[in-house]
Amino acid sequence: MSPGRTRAGARRRISRFEARILGALVAVALVPLVAALLLGDAVLRDAYDVGVNPRIEAQLEDALDLYRRHLLAIRVDAEHLADAVAFDHRLVEALRSGDDARARRLLEARLEAEADEERALHLASVSITRRDRPELRVGRAVDPGEERALTLERTLDEGEAPFAVEVVVVTPSAMFERHERAGEVAEIYRRLRTGASYVSSSFLLAYSLLLLVVIGAALFVGLTVSRRLTRRVALLEDAARRVGAGDLTVELPADRDDEVDALVRAFNAMVRDIRTSRDRIEYLQRMAAWQEMARRLAHEIKNPLTPIQLAVQELHERYDGDDPRFARQLELVRAIVEEEVRTLRRLVSEFSDFARLPVPELEEVDLVPFTRDACAGFEPAAMLPSDQSLPAPTLHTELPEGPIVVGLDRDLLRKALDNLVRNAVQALAARARPGRVIVAVRAEGEHAVLEVRDDGPGIAASEREHVFDAYFTTKSEGTGLGLAITKKIVLEHDGAIECGAAKEGGAAFRIRLRIVQRPPARSRASAPSPARSGEPDVASAPKPS
């Protein structure tokens, strides 16, 4: 299996942190839902026990039976009414005698009498059909929306003139509707009684399914949210493991505003501090080794220089021969040896200074007047090689008005600033026209920046990370110790130094020191003014004697 698949599988597994989060979410979702399920089951069964019980069912059956008896009584009344109408002797006599007018009057009177009585059953119409005579009909039409009609037939078949009597009686429909509703209610109640266990089981099943759905949704949401959180925690854990293994290049993204991002930002700051401290310690350790080597070199080189110089001088002075060619050669050898001895003495002096760098004694100093006074003591012309015939660069300062107090050792930081200005001046010496060296001071957040920049050729990007290494130099006569000394001084001030490009086109060296006392809100840089050739611009500060 490939490492990529292994890592992907590891990411898909649920970590212990995720398991705890999911467990908490399930507990929060499960406890109230299970409690509600048990309570709902108890309430449902109590409701059935109270509302669906044999007494209520018996009452419903009694009411339904009462409706049935009432309807049967109405049917019996209807039969009696039909008999009373059809077999009325007065009506029979009128029909047999052929007196239809009398028969109609009798029927109309009967209808009026029935209509006036408050009864559940009313006579609606009477129709009499005879063989050789037209039909005799008295009454009204039935309203099907409000009434139920019952048609009853009676036949009189006496003698030679039989006739049929059709009696239509009506009763309000509401009574039948109430009977039907009572039957439906009784049927539903019987089903509820017989299906009580089924309803309860169905309710519990539906509620259980809802419970599972809620738990599943809670798990899904919890897994999604926890994965977002634990993924960042896992990245933090992996980064911490890499830092523990020695990889201090770790940098985690922090693009959210929450507690985990605050932890990530604190972690990144811690890693940067560790990286800075490690680099500082490693650099100081290398510097200590270089200082020890410089001390030994200075000792080993310094001892034989004087005997060599004296031996050559004595050889030159004691020669009294008359060979002019040999005399000229001896003079040339003496001059070369003395020149190289001077060069070696200069190197020994630089090695000795490098080896004897003292430990800084910090004090709170306003960086603005310190820089102004230091620049007043710099002579760009004196920093050039002795054989340099081109005009010296001009020195400018850019200083704010307010104080910027930092902790520094005056002598050591002045030496570091001298090295930076000297390097800038010598870098500009090879140009056909005079250049400018700018020394600037400004505040950036919690740090003060002391910057030395120029408008010269600059430093290649590939060489910027090596310029602070001891014995690394791009000059034909340099020892490569000046910038190494400068960085050691800055690091022992608990500061930082970097090399970059200047806005004027040349190189820029920036020293960052922690501010002890912040500058006031109103602060502006003094406008630089060009100095005379070979003289620094020190913002009108008096030059020390």
Side-chain angles (χ1 to χ4, degrees), residues 97-163:
S97 63
D99 190 354
D100 290 348
R102 182 184 174 200
R104 180 178 296 276
R105 287 194 299 273
L106 290 172
L107 291 174
E108 290 176 349
R110 185 80 180 196
L111 288 173
E112 290 178 1
E114 292 289 335
D116 291 339
E117 294 182 5
E118 295 182 359
R119 298 172 56 189
L121 185 68
H122 296 280
L123 183 64
S125 64
V126 179
S127 300
I128 300 175
T129 306
R130 293 164 292 185
R131 183 186 307 174
D132 297 330
R133 303 187 66 175
E135 179 184 15
L136 176 62
R137 186 176 187 283
V138 178
R140 61 180 179 83
V142 178
D143 184 0
E146 299 291 336
E147 298 172 324
R148 288 284 185 94
L150 178 63
T151 302
L152 301 173
E153 294 183 355
R154 297 289 186 269
T155 302
L156 296 178
D157 193 13
E158 296 180 3
E160 297 180 355
F163 56 90

Side-chain angles (χ1 to χ4, degrees), residues 133-393:
R133 303 187 66 175
E135 179 184 15
L136 176 62
R137 186 176 187 283
V138 178
R140 61 180 179 83
V142 178
D143 184 0
E146 299 291 336
E147 298 172 324
R148 288 284 185 94
L150 178 63
T151 302
L152 301 173
E153 294 183 355
R154 297 289 186 269
T155 302
L156 296 178
D157 193 13
E158 296 180 3
E160 297 180 355
F163 56 90
V165 180
E166 183 180 271
V167 178
V168 178
V169 295
V170 295
T171 187
S173 300
M175 184 173 297
F176 292 91
E177 293 173 357
R178 287 195 293 270
H179 176 265
E180 292 174 358
R181 285 197 298 271
E184 292 173 355
V185 171
E187 180 64 23
I188 291 174
Y189 207 85
R190 281 193 296 271
R191 291 180 181 179
L192 288 176
R193 284 279 299 163
T194 57
S197 60
Y198 172 77
V199 172
S200 178
S201 301
S202 300
F203 171 79
L204 292 178
L205 177 61
Y207 203 86
S208 299
L209 292 176
L210 177 62
L211 177 63
L212 293 177
V213 170
V214 171
I215 293 175
L219 286 174
F220 176 77
V221 173
L223 184 61
T224 303
V225 174
S226 63
R227 275 291 166 89
R228 291 181 181 178
L229 177 62
T230 56
R231 185 183 300 115
R232 297 156 67 196
V233 175
L235 289 175
L236 191 60
E237 179 187 7
D238 181 66
R241 188 178 297 108
R242 290 168 58 188
V243 170
D247 182 7
L248 297 181
T249 62
V250 178
E251 186 78 15
L252 295 178
D255 53 359
R256 301 181 185 179
D257 188 14
D258 55 15
E259 289 76 7
V260 176
D261 256 24
L263 181 60
V264 169
R265 286 190 290 271
F267 176 81
N268 289 337
M270 179 194 70
V271 173
R272 285 193 298 269
D273 292 342
I274 295 175
R275 183 169 60 244
T276 301
S277 299
R278 184 195 65 177
D279 294 343
R280 177 182 287 110
I281 292 172
E282 289 179 352
Y283 186 82
L284 291 176
Q285 288 175 345
R286 291 199 304 269
M287 288 293 294
W290 291 335
Q291 283 180 288
E292 178 62 22
M293 184 178 65
R295 185 187 63 79
R296 294 184 179 182
L297 283 174
H299 178 73
E300 296 296 332
I301 295 174
K302 182 180 181 180
N303 288 338
L305 288 182
T306 300
I308 292 173
Q309 184 176 11
L310 291 177
V312 172
Q313 289 176 353
E314 184 176 0
L315 179 61
H316 178 268
E317 291 175 357
R318 289 192 177 191
Y319 177 72
D320 55 358
D322 56 358
D323 187 349
R325 292 180 59 190
F326 183 77
R328 287 194 303 272
Q329 187 68 27
L330 187 59
E331 177 66 25
L332 179 61
V333 170
R334 183 185 68 83
I336 291 174
V337 170
E338 289 181 350
E339 178 64 27
E340 293 302 324
V341 167
R342 283 194 298 270
T343 301
L344 288 174
R345 288 187 187 278
R346 181 172 58 81
L347 291 177
V348 168
S349 177
E350 292 184 7
F351 287 158
S352 298
D353 291 341
F354 177 53
R356 293 196 302 265
L357 280 176
V359 177
E361 296 181 1
L362 304 183
E363 57 178 321
E364 293 186 3
V365 178
D366 187 350
L367 191 59
V368 176
F370 168 82
T371 305
R372 183 185 298 114
D373 295 341
C375 290
F378 296 153
E379 290 286 353
M383 297 176 177
L384 294 175
S386 58
D387 59 347
Q388 179 62 256
S389 59
L390 294 176

Side-chain angles (χ1 to χ4, degrees), residues 281-538:
I281 292 172
E282 289 179 352
Y283 186 82
L284 291 176
Q285 288 175 345
R286 291 199 304 269
M287 288 293 294
W290 291 335
Q291 283 180 288
E292 178 62 22
M293 184 178 65
R295 185 187 63 79
R296 294 184 179 182
L297 283 174
H299 178 73
E300 296 296 332
I301 295 174
K302 182 180 181 180
N303 288 338
L305 288 182
T306 300
I308 292 173
Q309 184 176 11
L310 291 177
V312 172
Q313 289 176 353
E314 184 176 0
L315 179 61
H316 178 268
E317 291 175 357
R318 289 192 177 191
Y319 177 72
D320 55 358
D322 56 358
D323 187 349
R325 292 180 59 190
F326 183 77
R328 287 194 303 272
Q329 187 68 27
L330 187 59
E331 177 66 25
L332 179 61
V333 170
R334 183 185 68 83
I336 291 174
V337 170
E338 289 181 350
E339 178 64 27
E340 293 302 324
V341 167
R342 283 194 298 270
T343 301
L344 288 174
R345 288 187 187 278
R346 181 172 58 81
L347 291 177
V348 168
S349 177
E350 292 184 7
F351 287 158
S352 298
D353 291 341
F354 177 53
R356 293 196 302 265
L357 280 176
V359 177
E361 296 181 1
L362 304 183
E363 57 178 321
E364 293 186 3
V365 178
D366 187 350
L367 191 59
V368 176
F370 168 82
T371 305
R372 183 185 298 114
D373 295 341
C375 290
F378 296 153
E379 290 286 353
M383 297 176 177
L384 294 175
S386 58
D387 59 347
Q388 179 62 256
S389 59
L390 294 176
T394 55
L395 182 61
H396 302 259
T397 58
E398 295 177 356
L399 305 176
E401 291 182 350
I404 302 180
V405 179
V406 297
L408 57 84
D409 184 305
R410 292 178 180 270
D411 294 333
L412 289 179
L413 193 61
R414 188 188 302 271
K415 182 177 182 61
L417 184 58
D418 178 272
N419 287 338
L420 295 179
V421 174
R422 188 179 301 272
N423 276 354
V425 169
Q426 293 177 0
L428 295 171
R431 293 168 38 132
R433 58 182 178 83
R436 291 191 307 152
V437 178
I438 301 98
V439 179
V441 175
R442 64 179 178 274
E444 290 184 357
E446 298 181 352
H447 293 85
V449 177
L450 175 59
E451 183 180 54
V452 178
R453 62 183 192 270
D454 59 69
D455 59 354
I459 299 175
S462 59
E463 297 178 349
R464 291 174 187 168
E465 60 183 43
H466 301 294
V467 295
F468 298 107
D469 294 342
Y471 310 114
F472 177 86
T473 181
T474 58
K475 297 182 291 186
S476 58
E477 298 181 355
T479 60
L481 294 177
L483 291 178
I485 293 173
T486 299
K487 183 170 182 177
K488 184 176 187 297
I489 292 173
V490 172
L491 292 181
E492 290 182 339
H493 278 72
D494 196 24
I497 184 170
E498 62 182 9
C499 175
K503 60 184 179 181
E504 290 81 7
F509 289 86
R510 301 177 184 92
I511 297 175
R512 297 181 182 273
L513 300 174
R514 188 173 297 276
I515 295 176
V516 178
Q517 176 182 334
R518 290 182 172 276
R522 296 186 58 186
S523 174
R524 64 179 179 84
S526 60
S529 59
R532 296 191 303 272
S533 177
E535 295 184 3
D537 168 23
V538 292

Side-chain angles (χ1 to χ4, degrees), residues 18-39:
E18 290 176 330
R20 291 192 186 99
I21 294 177
L22 294 178
L25 290 174
V26 170
V28 170
L30 191 60
V31 170
L33 289 176
V34 170
L37 179 63
L38 297 177
L39 179 62

